[in-house]
Amino acid sequence: MTTNTTADPDRLTWGEIARTLLWAVVVISAVANMAASYGGAGTWVHLACGAVTVFCGGTLVVRNLRGRR
């Protein structure tokens, strides 16, 4: 009797889900920042969108660098 300890290749991992969600948030916050620019929104809107974009982008970079080890 053999046991298969490897993960099913068709199943999503938490890491893949997190990466997809982070990319989605980066795109959404960048589009929101662009829309705020065209709409003449206040500075705080630009700062909030930029902070979210930088945080998610930085998280993606850190996850990528840690995955290479």
Side-chain angles (χ1 to χ4, degrees), residues 24-39 45-46 49 53:
V25 172
V26 166
V27 170
I28 290 168
S29 63
V31 169
N33 199 0
M34 186 172 52
S37 294
Y38 286 121
V45 176
H46 296 285
C49 291
T53 304

Side-chain angles (χ1 to χ4, degrees), residues 45-56:
V45 176
H46 296 285
L47 290 174
C49 291
V52 169
T53 304
V54 167
F55 175 74
C56 290

Side-chain angles (χ1 to χ4, degrees), residues 47-69:
L47 290 174
C49 291
V52 169
T53 304
V54 167
F55 175 74
C56 290
T59 303
L60 284 166
V61 168
V62 168
R63 289 175 50 86
N64 188 22
L65 291 175
R66 285 188 178 173
R68 290 185 181 183
R69 287 186 188 177

